Amino acid sequence: MAVRLSRRPRGFSLVEVALALGIVSFGLMVSVSLLPVSLKTIRDASERTIESQLVDAVKSDLLMTPYGTLRSSSPLSYYFDQEGMAQDTQSSETYYRLTVEIHDPLYPGHDQGPLQAVDAGLVQAKITVASGPTVTVANKDTRTYSILISDAGL
């Protein structure tokens, strides 16, 4: 009985290798094209995290300020660098500028302005955050936060 040897080709043909390389290179190209978008998203999220921590710090400062001196100290400006470290004045390293304005609170449905006579123990603090390499209040990248501060009798 004769033994028959099969000579099946082993390995991949040139067409299969070219097709596999094409699919892999397309996948890598799509992954690399998404990299700038994901890096920008990460940077924005990091900036928003620092910003919210700065707003919380300023809010804590305001809550610790004696109520009677809040109105006389408005407006206040706080300056921070890109890592969120406080600065005494605005400089070339300033990345965040927080401006605090103290107002009488406005109530929904009351179009005549603040209710000063009704609520003498409550003020509204408006915190405007400008961020970026050139921080000005006219910056298009600004956000505003508002908190109410009551006279706790301290």
Side-chain angles (χ1 to χ4, degrees), residues 136-154:
T136 61
V137 177
N139 224 6
K140 64 179 177 178
D141 191 19
T142 61
R143 279 156 303 288
T144 302
Y145 301 87
S146 184
I147 61 169
L148 293 174
I149 303 172
S150 65
D151 184 6
L154 299 176

Side-chain angles (χ1 to χ4, degrees), residues 11 17 36 59 65 95 102-103 124 135 141 151:
V17 169
K59 182 178 76 170
T65 303
Y95 196 81
I102 306 295
H103 302 284
Q124 179 180 18
V135 290
D141 191 19
D151 184 6

Side-chain angles (χ1 to χ4, degrees), residues 97-144:
R97 177 182 175 185
L98 280 70
T99 306
V100 179
E101 297 174 2
I102 306 295
H103 302 284
D104 290 316
L106 294 175
Y107 298 99
H110 187 71
D111 299 331
Q112 284 76 32
L115 290 176
Q116 295 171 336
V118 174
D119 203 28
L122 191 65
V123 293
Q124 179 180 18
K126 185 173 102 173
I127 304 172
T128 304
V129 181
S131 62
T134 56
V135 290
T136 61
V137 177
N139 224 6
K140 64 179 177 178
D141 191 19
T142 61
R143 279 156 303 288
T144 302

Side-chain angles (χ1 to χ4, degrees), residues 46-98:
S46 174
E47 286 179 6
R48 296 301 172 260
T49 301
I50 292 172
E51 179 182 305
S52 69
Q53 291 170 345
L54 296 177
V55 168
D56 280 345
V58 168
K59 182 178 76 170
S60 294
D61 250 6
L62 291 173
L63 292 173
M64 295 301 294
T65 303
Y67 184 81
T69 62
L70 280 174
R71 290 179 196 275
S72 62
S73 60
S74 179
L76 295 170
S77 290
Y78 296 89
Y79 304 101
F80 301 92
D81 65 8
Q82 197 162 5
E83 283 80 34
M85 302 301 293
Q87 297 178 327
D88 293 331
T89 59
Q90 186 169 358
S91 69
S92 61
E93 294 183 8
T94 301
Y95 196 81
Y96 298 98
R97 177 182 175 185
L98 280 70

